[in-house]
Amino acid sequence: MGAHQASVNFEPVIWARLMQTPKEPVSPEAARYLLSLDFSDADHSRMQALMDKSNEGTLTSDEDAELDGYVNIANVLSVMHSRARVALRSVGIECSRDSGSL
């Protein structure tokens, strides 16, 4: 379990490093695609349920790992969305922060 836990903890850091050093600029098409990636309503509901249980102190260890996974992916997704917005602004396209829409 220790090796698995370490990979879970370092994975978002590795993704962040990977995205910070692109070899080419992000194209507007790729940026639009990245901004279209988001959690489903079902995932949002699940995250809320897990956060509620966390606040109540009733998360199981599996639920805690699941919540950590959602948090890690949300952090990576935020970085991806940010880079996509920067790429679009660099070619004169403004986009909304809240939904990723143009």
Side-chain angles (χ1 to χ4, degrees), residues 34-86:
L34 291 173
L35 288 170
S36 75
L37 298 175
D38 201 357
F39 292 105
S40 69
D41 289 341
D43 282 322
H44 281 286
S45 294
R46 180 62 178 158
M47 285 184 275
Q48 187 60 56
L50 291 169
M51 288 184 286
D52 291 344
K53 287 186 80 170
S54 178
N55 289 338
E56 296 163 1
T58 59
L59 274 181
T60 66
S61 61
D62 285 346
E63 290 170 330
D64 188 43
E66 183 181 2
L67 182 56
D68 282 345
Y70 275 117
V71 169
N72 291 338
I73 292 169
N75 289 336
V76 170
L77 190 59
S78 292
V79 172
M80 290 170 55
H81 283 180
S82 178
R83 293 201 52 90
R85 284 187 203 94
V86 168

